[in-house]
Amino acid sequence: MAVSRTFRIFRYDPVKDPAPYWSLFTVNVEQGDSVLTGLMKIREELDGSLAFRASCRSGICGSDGMVINGRSRLACKTQVDDMGHGEVVIEPLRNLPYLKDLVVDQTPFWDKFESVMPWLHESTTEPVPETERRMTLAEDAFDDLSKASDCIFCQICYAECPVNGLDRAFIGPQALIKAFRFEADPRDVGTNERVPILDQPDGVWRCRTTFNCTVSCPKGIPITKDIQSLKREMVGTYFHARQEV
Ligand code: F3S
Ligand code: FES
């Protein structure tokens, strides 16, 4: 049975609005409808100018991260029924500049992601195998790597990290787990190139282990734990370099 629900949505178009404001919309939603379905109804039936990102509608593309009732979540994986009986309050992700309404400028996020060189650095001295490059890893270590590979780039960890909010230079949790994913891969030889980026005040050491990233990750990636692994690796790299002097 459809019920009428009110959505309070952050609006701002820097081209024409002097300041952000709230819009209230009331639509009918069915039991089990997601917040994304509600937003689509609003755009189709009430206000075609409402801007938000979405694509897969099934928690895979990571494009519809937004703040819903105070917490960053994927709109397609959040049911309206789970948001209590009052208004559903929707705002853009934090820690990123606004572009329009619920759409943020992702440039700082992608710049930091790219800075850790998130690709497999292959050995240039070992012979190229005829088939794929296989890896050998203990089961636990492989599980950690595999989990870090589940990241869907939704930017929720970046938006929920309080350090990202205070220090725009902090590389942020998502770039760090991407670095972890390749540092944990025994086929990767990129450590020497990544260490100068990770082992600096705005790299791994700026993380204050607040766990917001881990708690909010829609894929359940243990981000804080992975960052601590990188810190241990940085310390190990330091002692290794001292021994060689
Ligand atoms: Fe931020 Fe996550 Fe560290 S929320 S402070 S990157 S544990
Ligand atoms: Fe793709 Fe929600 S629309 S994750």
Side-chain angles (χ1 to χ4, degrees):
M1 190 187 72
V3 289
S4 158
R5 292 296 303 259
T6 300
F7 289 69
R8 174 182 290 272
I9 303 180
F10 175 98
R11 307 298 300 275
Y12 184 47
D13 182 347
V15 175
K16 63 178 181 60
D17 298 327
Y21 63 99
W22 295 101
S23 287
L24 287 174
F25 299 102
T26 300
V27 282
N28 285 336
V29 292
E30 305 286 338
Q31 189 176 24
D33 270 356
S34 68
V35 170
L36 179 59
T37 301
L39 285 172
M40 287 177 159
K41 280 187 183 172
I42 291 168
R43 192 160 66 183
E44 278 159 26
E45 298 169 12
L46 301 172
D47 184 349
S49 73
L50 176 64
F52 57 89
R53 286 194 179 99
S55 180
C56 70
R57 303 182 70 173
S58 51
I60 296 168
C61 73
S63 58
D64 62 340
M66 54 190 77
V67 178
I68 304 169
N69 284 13
R71 268 190 51 198
S72 303
R73 316 170 202 247
L74 293 176
C76 66
K77 299 295 281 182
T78 305
Q79 294 199 355
V80 178
D81 293 341
D82 292 339
M83 294 297 102
H85 298 293
E87 292 174 348
V88 180
V89 183
I90 310 181
E91 301 160 80
L93 288 178
R94 305 179 184 109
N95 299 341
L96 290 162
Y98 314 128
L99 282 181
K100 183 174 187 278
D101 299 339
L102 304 174
V103 177
V104 291
D105 178 2
Q106 302 178 336
T107 311
F109 172 90
W110 290 112
D111 285 348
K112 290 172 185 181
F113 166 70
E114 233 182 283
S115 75
V116 300
M117 295 173 277
W119 55 84
L120 192 79
H121 290 54
E122 286 189 308
S123 165
T124 49
T125 51
E126 285 175 24
V128 178
E130 284 184 9
T131 57
E132 73 272 27
R133 271 193 203 277
R134 294 185 172 219
M135 71 165 87
T136 309
L137 261 185
E139 201 174 326
D140 284 0
F142 180 76
D143 284 348
D144 289 346
L145 183 155
S146 171
K147 207 74 198 126
S149 305
D150 288 346
C151 173
I152 55 171
F153 308 94
C154 64
Q155 320 193 5
I156 283 176
C157 60
Y158 189 97
E160 287 287 307
C161 174
V163 181
N164 267 143
L166 293 169
D167 175 5
R168 295 298 154 113
F170 174 43
I171 196 162
Q174 197 274 346
L176 291 175
I177 52 149
K178 277 294 149 188
F180 168 80
R181 184 258 170 264
F182 289 101
E183 287 299 306
D185 191 319
R187 300 166 301 177
D188 183 273
V189 295
T191 302
N192 286 346
E193 287 161 85
R194 289 195 198 97
V195 166
I197 294 144
L198 301 173
D199 188 17
Q200 46 137 329
D202 286 318
V204 291
W205 306 114
R206 188 67 83 218
C207 165
R208 295 292 187 261
T209 51
T210 62
F211 280 87
N212 292 29
C213 51
T214 300
V215 170
S216 59
C217 175
K219 304 306 280 186
I221 302 172
I223 304 174
T224 314
K225 176 176 166 233
D226 294 347
I227 296 172
Q228 301 323 298
S229 297
L230 280 179
K231 288 179 182 173
R232 276 196 296 279
E233 187 193 336
M234 293 305 109
V235 173
T237 310
Y238 172 76
F239 283 113
H240 185 66
R242 295 238 335 162
Q243 277 169 359
E244 285 185 344
V245 172

